[in-house]
Amino acid sequence: MDINSRPLGRRDFLRGSLAAAALAATGSLAACATSGTGTTSQSSAPAGQVSDTNPFGVKSPSTVDAVIFNGGYGIDYAEFGGKQVEAKQQGVTVKVTPTTKVAQTLQPRFVAGNPPDVIDNSGAGLIGINTIRDQLAELNDVVEAKNYEGTVIKDTLYPGVMNPGTFDGKFIVLNYALTVYALWYSASLFDQMGWTVPKTYDEMLSLGQEAKGKGKYLLGWGKEAATYYQTMAIGSAIKEGGDEVRLALENLKPDCWSLPPIQDVFNGLKKIIDAGYVKPGGSGTQFTAAQAQWSDAEQFILYPSGGWIENEMKKQTKSGFKMTGAPEPTVSSNSKMPWEALHSTAGEGYIVPSQGKNVAGGKEFLRAMLSKDAAVNFAKTKLSSTIVKGTVPADGFGSTALQSQIKMLEAAGSNIFSWNFVDLYGMNTDQLVVWNSFLSGDSDVAKLTKGLQDITDKVAKDDSIKKVQVS
Amino acid sequence: VTALSSGGLTTGVASPGGVSSSGGLRRFGSARWRRRNLTFDKISFFLVFLVIPVAFYIAFVVSPFVQAAYFSLTDWTGFTPAMNFIGLSNYAKLFTDATFLQAMANNILMAIVVPIVTLGLAMFFATLVTVGGSTRGNIRGLRNSSFYRVISFFPYVIPAIVIGLIWSQIYDPSAGLLNGILTRLGLEQFTSFAWLGNPHTARWAVMFVIIWGLVGFYMVLFIAAIKGVPAEVFEAARIDGAGRFRTAISITIPLIRENVQTAFIYIGILALDAFVYMAALEPGGGPDNTTLVMAQELFNTAFTKGQFGYACAMGVVLAVITLAYAGLVFAVNRIFGGKSEVGE
């Protein structure tokens, strides 16, 4: 054989490989420019007939592709909603897919122009709304449509629940679960000890002393949830200083963290930390473990959190705990907003990508979720209210936490506020670091302020980040 | 690729048996090609051992690299098909980004400490187990050395993420094993001490976990290398009066130099990544970002901040640092007299 008489030289081999590599490399370079740019699929026009019972004209038969965050609320409530759609719209099937990492799972589908029809964009791995807001369908027609009972959806919702989903005047995120932020405590423990809920930071400080006398700490935290204290601090500062505080933070104003109401709150917290009323070690404790120190071991007595806390700690709550919420404290008794004012927003942000194959189907799914059966089902099984009013009976399905949420909402009336900048610009991760050191007593108010201001300034100065103007 | 291979194949199939210059080859037009005897054997060898692997390599390794490098020059958000070319401004931003620079510094510290401590310990144990035994009779390790060998390999069998989760429980301030033992010993200052939450201890605590998990593996690697050294060498050294330490420094390490170098590169790359350990131990970057690593910052920038272009720039910098690290290890080895040709 020829190969024996003339061995394949190493140089020949290498030369061949170079030629092959050069050829292939140019090919892939050319491909590279286009590989990221998937075809922009044109959303198929709804072929279904638009009618009162089918306001968005869902095609039949068709499939609705729903991707639901599988977190604290699970996905069974969404499957329930899907069944409602299937019952109302003949021939339409709803495919509910759970995911725990929304951004990672769906990023390739967005790039390829093939996103799902409706997404529950929630959890730690959510897609920053700022990144995709140009690719979302406006949802005004959903809230203007009639629900399955024949009432216009808009009239059935709690006030202000559309605000957190509105960006530059466009309503693109339907936040489904109503969340009340509060200071949570055990009503039974407080009754037994004769304590009252503190309404200001000074009252909190003196309660801290009483608790210490009983061998308990006042507050505690977990490392992934240190910014719950930021949420409480901002809430307190907005009540104290009114809307101007909120707007300064939302619009990333220079020195916004140095506004007097915010500083007063920070100083109030610092006094509590310095007095040793905060359970140490939080910056090294996993947050649900820290929360169990409150709800199960009762090592500390107050915990700022959202209304999901009851569901989250269901299995780690002492029996007879009577979890109850109170509005976040103010600085002084003559704050601009009353103590009853409430930081409440809606979570579980549902979005409908405008490039989805079945946009009308996605909207129909939301319509079903906002109708009575699905909303009541959510409240009952998750012990948490949706944005739909009147789905929770007075006994709160036996939950003291849910009862207190509804009571707080009633007491607050129209004094309900919320903000978006932390999630909108993805600041939480950076802020956690600053708060962990503040709560563990390693830093002071000046360091905290500077740390938070640096994070704000970094976003404000970065031209590549689109800003949302809030007024 | 297709032109070369299909042209070549036709030739090979049409004229098996080694025709030196057939019509198919003339298409290449080069005299050099014509002179070569491109037989079926040669062509099929080229194809199977060269073209296909190279094509795979380019499609699945090189092209993503090139693509990432290109994305690093754009403002791609990661969720749109469209992106704008913005030149080097991502890199300019990167080198003024205090958080990223801190992550880089953390990684570099880890790439220095973790390999030295891990490999130092691994070498120490490997020596004990193989040649550190009784100085009488045959060269051998300590008594029951095979038992120690198995025990020390255990941590490596556990996946990194599990190691991270186990240790995050051990380090728990209030309910963790470590503080439990320390307070039981009467060290009251460790009550609720947050090992992973204190800026002075966090980075050492996580490095300890990484080292704990890897010592066993590198120990086994070194044992295998030392076993490859003829026992006579050690006996000769002993006759010349060398003690255990002198033997390790002057005989063992120079003789297994290439293994040490390879180990350094592997563990250095791991220390420059460290994502898995950090995801379990310090998902938020640790107190004052003292344990934040570049891979975490990259992930966070890409997926929570929606800045894939910027994240790609971080990836490119991470790749460059990794290559520089490997280059440094080679250079150090060469300076100290090693042959540079590794793998031959």
Side-chain angles (χ1 to χ4, degrees), chain B residues 205-217:
Chain B
V206 294
M207 278 194 234
F208 176 81
V209 174
I210 298 177
I211 292 166
W212 179 86
L214 293 177
V215 163
F217 173 77

Side-chain angles (χ1 to χ4, degrees), chain A residues 1 35 37 107 135 223 462, chain B residues 41 67 79-81 93 281:
Chain A
M1 280 294 283
S35 64
T37 18
Q107 187 247 343
Q135 302 174 61
K223 62 179 170 185
D462 192 336
Chain B
D41 284 5
Q67 210 170 22
F79 290 89
T80 51
K93 189 159 109 185
L281 288 165

